């Protein structure tokens, strides 16, 4: 490749078209989705935990490359719904799958294909248009013979369900093995186009992104129909409360909920401020669980006129 990989100034056309798009990883809980997201992005963005169902919300990581920008949307694990929350999570998953440019299906190398995997693969087979890449995770835990068997079984699984994998890639997110190769294979499946996000990190504080997301989810609950996307949340500051004893810390979090029109303010705040108060209570519990520390959450609602269509506002709001 040599000189071709040098980044050219924008005035000269580079040889390959720039690509940008969305990918999401799917798989049973604990299939290694979040760890893989972190390995690709190169820093911790998603919440990794041994208990399934920790990633309740779409957490994005961005892989910036000279030739492409790959935006990873982390969907919650799809599973057979036992609860209403499960049903809702599954709806979120299916909606996400239909909107992304490529789906990576994570299957751990140290486990045989099970009913949970088949359940997901069947669902995937129903999404015809989106290319599907099988990502065999945790390869550091098995020998080459087991790995070969898994690869053959996964190839077979696609054939049984009547679709062809765009790629089958073994990786180890823990050792970093083949993670770059995975990115190389995902990029050509993205549409051509300019950067969708500014260069550089999403934020220096992945926690702030997650906190904003938790507040936004709580604020949208029950009013999705009236305000489907028109709430953006910005965490303005997070500061430990001064003069607190070491064993009883308190974190002050100040956040703004931005809406597009003054008429939406009443919907978000609710009669006598009740809705906003509920949003505060609900998201504070989740933020405390995420950070493991007591939190004082200060929420304000502001109008940012037509923020969804204003690039300057969008940048300020972190989009």
């Amino acid at each position: 490749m040599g000189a071709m990989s040098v980044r050219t100034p924008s005035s000269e056309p580079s040889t390959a078209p720039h690509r940008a798009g969305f990918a999401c990883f799917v798989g049973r809980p604990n299939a290694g989705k979040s760890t893989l997201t972190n390995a690709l992005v190169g820093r911790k963005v998603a919440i990794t935990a041994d208990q399934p169902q920790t990633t309740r919300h779409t957490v994005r990581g961005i892989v910036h490359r000279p030739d492409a920008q790959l935006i990873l949307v982390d969907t919650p694990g799809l599973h057979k719904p036992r609860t209403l929350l499960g049903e809702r999570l599954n709806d979120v998953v299916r909606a996400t799958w239909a909107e992304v440019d490529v789906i990576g299906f994570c299957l751990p190398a140290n486990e045989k294909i099970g009913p949970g995997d088949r359940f997901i693969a069947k669902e995937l087979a129903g999404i015809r248009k989106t290319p599907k890449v099988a990502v065999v995770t945790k390869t550091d835990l098995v020998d080459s013979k087991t790995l070969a068997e898994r690869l053959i079984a996964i190839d077979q699984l696609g054939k049984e369900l009547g679709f062809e994998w765009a790629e089958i890639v073994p990786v180890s997110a823990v050792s970093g093995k083949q993670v770059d190769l995975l990115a190389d294979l995902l990029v050509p499946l993205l549409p051509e186009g300019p950067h969708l996000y500014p260069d550089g990190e999403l934020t220096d504080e992945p926690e702030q992104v997650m906190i904003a997301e938790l507040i936004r989810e709580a604020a949208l609950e029950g009013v999705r129909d009236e305000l489907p996307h028109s709430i953006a949340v910005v965490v303005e500051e997070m500061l430990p409360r001064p003069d607190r004893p070491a064993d009883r810390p308190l974190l002050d979090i100040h956040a703004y909920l931005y809406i597009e029109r003054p008429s939406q303010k009443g919907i978000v705040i609710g009669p006598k401020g009740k809705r906003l108060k509920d949003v505060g209570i609900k998201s504070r519990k989740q933020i405390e669980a995420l950070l493991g520390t007591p939190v004082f959450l200060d929420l304000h609602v502001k109008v940012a006129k037509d923020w969804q269509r204003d690039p300057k506002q969008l940048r300020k709001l972190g989009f």
Side-chain angles (χ1 to χ4, degrees):
M1 283 294 283
M4 282 206 187
S5 58
V6 176
R7 200 167 184 172
T8 50
S10 51
S11 55
E12 296 169 34
S14 81
T15 43
H18 186 278
R19 292 177 183 275
F22 294 83
C24 75
F25 292 128
V26 304
R28 285 185 289 122
N30 303 335
K33 301 180 294 286
S34 299
T35 316
L36 186 57
T37 300
N38 296 336
L40 274 163
V41 176
R43 52 209 304 274
K44 203 167 157 59
V45 280
I47 312 163
T48 48
D50 288 337
Q51 301 91 325
Q53 299 313 330
T54 36
T55 317
R56 281 261 184 268
H57 307 278
T58 304
V59 180
R60 293 188 187 86
I62 300 183
V63 183
H64 295 283
R65 298 165 47 124
D67 59 335
Q69 193 175 53
L70 175 66
I71 296 125
L72 303 171
V73 186
D74 199 13
T75 51
L78 186 86
H79 53 97
K80 291 188 172 143
R82 282 187 207 90
T83 61
L84 193 62
L85 175 65
E87 295 272 358
R88 263 208 47 216
L89 282 172
N90 285 355
D91 290 344
V92 171
V93 172
R94 288 195 194 90
T96 306
W97 291 4
E99 288 159 15
V100 296
D101 300 299
V102 55
I103 298 170
F105 181 19
C106 297
L107 296 124
N110 62 332
E111 293 172 41
K112 284 201 159 90
I113 293 177
D117 300 314
R118 279 180 191 285
F119 174 71
I120 295 171
K122 263 203 197 83
E123 295 281 336
L124 281 178
I127 296 171
R128 290 258 167 249
K129 290 209 289 282
T130 317
K132 296 166 267 293
V133 172
V135 185
V136 188
T137 57
K138 310 189 183 186
T139 55
D140 50 297
L141 302 178
V142 298
D143 58 26
S144 52
K145 182 171 168 286
T146 309
L147 182 57
E149 283 165 12
R150 292 290 178 272
L151 297 176
I152 293 163
I154 289 164
D155 185 43
Q156 213 39 57
L157 180 65
K159 289 200 173 82
E160 267 169 51
L161 296 169
F163 69 87
E164 187 76 38
W165 300 106
E167 305 278 354
I168 302 178
V169 196
V171 299
S172 164
V174 174
S175 71
K177 207 170 170 187
Q178 303 237 87
V179 170
D180 289 341
L181 173 70
L182 175 61
D184 290 342
L185 295 171
L186 291 173
V187 164
L189 301 170
L190 304 178
E192 293 180 17
H195 272 35
L196 298 168
Y197 286 83
D199 256 345
E201 305 300 342
L202 200 51
T203 162
D204 287 328
E205 290 288 301
E207 278 103 359
Q208 284 190 353
V209 176
M210 290 190 253
I211 288 165
E213 193 65 39
L214 289 172
I215 296 169
R216 183 170 182 271
E217 276 290 312
L220 279 172
E221 203 149 288
V223 296
R224 264 174 212 281
D225 301 341
E226 299 157 90
L227 309 170
H229 299 295
S230 41
I231 298 180
V233 176
V234 175
V235 174
E236 288 286 328
E237 55 177 17
M238 289 168 47
L239 295 167
R241 176 84 55 96
D243 313 324
R244 292 282 292 193
D247 57 344
R248 291 191 24 246
L250 184 68
L251 188 65
D252 283 317
I253 298 179
H254 300 278
Y256 287 102
L257 280 79
Y258 287 95
I259 47 178
E260 293 195 277
R261 291 186 292 285
S263 61
Q264 296 169 336
K265 212 166 176 172
I267 302 173
V268 176
I269 293 174
K272 295 200 170 137
K274 186 175 178 328
R275 271 216 77 241
L276 189 62
K277 196 173 167 198
D278 289 348
V279 168
I281 291 168
K282 189 169 184 247
S283 51
R284 193 193 76 229
K285 281 195 183 119
Q286 293 179 315
I287 293 164
E288 290 180 336
L290 170 72
L291 301 176
T293 174
V295 160
F296 173 78
L297 183 59
D298 177 39
L299 293 180
H300 293 278
V301 180
K302 275 187 167 179
V303 178
K305 220 168 113 44
D306 292 334
W307 66 261
Q308 293 184 316
R309 285 180 286 287
D310 177 349
K312 217 164 75 215
Q313 302 262 24
L314 282 172
R315 268 202 302 282
K316 187 179 158 213
L317 299 175
F319 287 94

